[in-house]
C-alpha cells in the first residue's frame, strides 16, 4: 500500500520505492519537488518528495492502491517543544560547536600563514631602506596579524545559522499517522465536493484509462499535458483544457487556445463531461487566415 502524505491540499510521496512503483506500474509520474542533498542550490534536477496531482492521489485512493495519511499531532504534549524537537535542537547545537571549532582552527592557520608572509615582507623592506641613499624611516616588523591571533578566540564569530546540517531522505523517527478520508473535505484535503476538481478528475481518469500519461499543463495554459507514454521518452501530443458541459467558451479564449497549440505543435483538446459521466473531446487546430 502506497502512503501519500497530505497537508494543506498537497499530496506527497516520500519513498523512492513507491515513487518508482507509481511510474512503472501505474503510469503516474508526479513532480519531484525536493532539493538534492549534494546539490541544494540548483533547481534543474530535483528529488524526493514526489508531489502528485490531486487527481492522481484521488485515482490511487479510489482504486485501493494508496492511503492518504497525515502525521499525528502532539496531542497532550503541551505548548512546549516535543521530544523530537528537543533532540533536533541538541543535535544542532553539537554540530554548531564542532563546526565552529573547525572554522576557528582554519582561521588561525590562515592568519599564522599571513603573519609569516607579512613579517618576511617587512624584513625585506627594512633591508632595502638600510642601503646607501635610502631614508632612515624605521619599520616595525612586529605589526601584522599576530595581534589578531591573540584575540581570535574572543572575537571569532560563527552563528548558528551558518551550521551545515544533513537533509534526511527518510524520517529518522517512527511516527504515528492518521488516515485522511479522501471522500470528505477537510483542511488537509479540500477537493471533495469541488465541481472544478470533479470535472478534471473525470477527464484525468478517462484519459488514464485510455493508456495516456498526464502531467500538469499549467506552463502551456491548459489543465494537463497528454503523453502517449512515459514523459521521459515522448513529447506531449495534446493539451487538455477542461470546460464545463453546456457552458459557452468565449470566442477569444477559443482562438487563444488554438493559436497556442499551433505555436507549441500540440493539439488542443476541449474536454467536457456530460450528466451521465461521459467525457466529450473537441480538438482545436489553428489554420490561420488563407
Amino acid at each position: 500500500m502506497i502512503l501519500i502524505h497530505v497537508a494543506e491540499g498537497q499530496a506527497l510521496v516520500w519513498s523512492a520505492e513507491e515513487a518508482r512503483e507509481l511510474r512503472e506500474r501505474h503510469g503516474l509520474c508526479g513532480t519531484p519537488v525536493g532539493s538534492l542533498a549534494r546539490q541544494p542550490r540548483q533547481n534543474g534536477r530535483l528529488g524526493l518528495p514526489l508531489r502528485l496531482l490531486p487527481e492522481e492521489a484521488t485515482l490511487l485512493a479510489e482504486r485501493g492502491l494508496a492511503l492518504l495519511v497525515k502525521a499525528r499531532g502532539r496531542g497532550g504534549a503541551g505548548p512546549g517543544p516535543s521530544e523530537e524537537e528537543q533532540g533536533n535542537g541538541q543535535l544542532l547545537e553539537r554540530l554548531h560547536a564542532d563546526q565552529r571549532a573547525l572554522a576557528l582552527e582554519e582561521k588561525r592557520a590562515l592568519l599564522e600563514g599571513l603573519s609569516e608572509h607579512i613579517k618576511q615582507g617587512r624584513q625585506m623592506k627594512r633591508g632595502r631602506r638600510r642601503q646607501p641613499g635610502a631614508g632612515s624611516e624605521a619599520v616595525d616588523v612586529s605589526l601584522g596579524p599576530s595581534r589578531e591571533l591573540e584575540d581570535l578566540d574572543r572575537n571569532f564569530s560563527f552563528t548558528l545559522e551558518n551550521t551545515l546540517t544533513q537533509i534526511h531522505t527518510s524520517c529518522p523517527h517512527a511516527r504515528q499517522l492518521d488516515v485522511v478520508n479522501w471522500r470528505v473535505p477537510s483542511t488537509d484535503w479540500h477537493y471533495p465536493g469541488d465541481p472544478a476538481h470533479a470535472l478534471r478528475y473525470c477527464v484525468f481518469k478517462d484519459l488514464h484509462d485510455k493508456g495516456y500519461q498526464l502531467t500538469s499543463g499549467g506552463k502551456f495554459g491548459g489543465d494537463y499535458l497528454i503523453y502517449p507514454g512515459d514523459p521521459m521518452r515522448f513529447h506531449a501530443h495534446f493539451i487538455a483544457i477542461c470546460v464545463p458541459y453546456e457552458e459557452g467558451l468565449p470566442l477569444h479564449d477559443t482562438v487563444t487556445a488554438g493559436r497556442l497549440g499551433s505555436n507549441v505543435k500540440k493539439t488542443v483538446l476541449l474536454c467536457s463531461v456530460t450528466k451521465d459521466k461521459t467525457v466529450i473531446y473537441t480538438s482545436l487546430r489553428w489554420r490561420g487566415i488563407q
Side-chain angles (χ1 to χ4, degrees):
M1 184 70 67
I2 298 173
L3 295 182
I4 301 177
H5 299 256
V6 299
E8 299 182 357
Q10 300 291 325
L12 303 174
V13 174
W14 288 90
S15 169
E17 291 77 10
E18 293 175 349
R20 180 177 179 179
E21 180 182 354
L22 286 175
R23 194 178 195 102
E24 294 182 352
R25 295 185 56 186
H26 306 298
L28 301 174
C29 303
T31 304
V33 295
S35 174
L36 298 181
R38 293 187 177 182
Q39 295 177 312
R41 299 184 182 275
Q42 55 82 42
N43 58 2
R45 293 180 297 171
L46 299 177
L48 295 175
L50 190 73
R51 183 175 62 195
L52 301 180
L53 294 172
E55 294 76 30
E56 292 177 317
T58 303
L59 180 66
L60 290 168
E62 183 181 73
R63 295 181 175 177
L65 301 173
L67 277 179
L68 271 62
V69 297
K70 67 175 182 178
R72 181 172 298 177
R74 292 182 300 185
S82 63
E83 294 183 1
E84 180 179 343
E85 293 171 339
Q86 292 178 355
N88 291 337
Q90 295 172 358
L91 175 61
L92 183 61
E93 291 177 358
R94 291 198 301 270
L95 290 174
H96 175 258
D98 294 341
Q99 293 179 28
R100 184 186 185 278
L102 292 174
L104 180 61
E105 184 72 21
E106 184 177 354
K107 182 72 172 179
R108 180 179 290 107
L110 177 62
L111 289 179
E112 289 176 351
L114 289 175
S115 177
E116 184 65 24
H117 179 72
I118 293 176
K119 183 177 180 180
Q120 294 176 359
R122 290 183 178 273
Q123 289 177 346
M124 294 176 59
K125 187 175 181 180
R126 183 177 60 177
R128 288 195 300 269
R129 289 184 178 276
R130 288 179 177 178
Q131 295 178 358
S136 58
E137 181 182 355
V139 178
D140 186 1
V141 298
S142 64
L143 297 178
S146 58
R147 189 172 300 173
E148 296 184 16
L149 286 171
E150 300 176 358
D151 301 331
L152 182 61
D153 291 340
R154 183 177 69 252
N155 298 331
F156 184 72
S157 175
F158 188 84
T159 62
L160 191 66
E161 290 76 12
N162 293 330
T163 306
L164 297 176
T165 59
Q166 180 181 2
I167 301 177
H168 295 286
T169 56
S170 62
C171 183
H173 309 285
R175 307 192 69 179
Q176 294 181 330
L177 301 174
D178 292 327
V179 177
V180 176
N181 188 349
W182 60 273
R183 296 182 177 89
V184 179
S186 63
T187 56
D188 296 296
W189 195 250
H190 49 77
Y191 299 102
D194 182 5
H197 171 70
L199 170 61
R200 290 194 299 268
Y201 177 66
C202 286
V203 173
F204 180 92
K205 181 179 179 181
D206 187 71
L207 289 170
H208 185 268
D209 290 342
K210 294 180 184 298
Y212 294 103
Q213 295 194 20
L214 292 82
T215 63
S216 174
K219 63 181 179 181
F220 287 101
D223 291 290
Y224 305 114
L225 291 178
I226 306 174
Y227 298 81
D230 194 305
M232 296 293 292
R233 301 178 58 191
F234 300 93
H235 290 289
H237 288 186
F238 307 98
I239 302 174
I241 300 177
C242 299
V243 181
Y245 186 64
E246 293 184 347
E247 286 192 13
L249 186 67
L251 180 60
H252 64 274
D253 289 344
T254 306
V255 174
T256 299
R259 295 188 64 177
L260 173 63
S262 177
N263 289 337
V264 297
K265 298 181 180 180
K266 305 182 192 306
T267 300
V268 175
L269 294 181
L270 301 181
C271 311
S272 301
V273 180
T274 64
K275 295 181 180 180
D276 60 354
K277 302 300 182 181
T278 301
V279 183
I280 299 175
Y281 302 97
T282 303
S283 63
L284 296 180
R285 194 170 185 180
W286 179 258
R287 299 183 61 89
I289 299 177
Q290 299 297 330

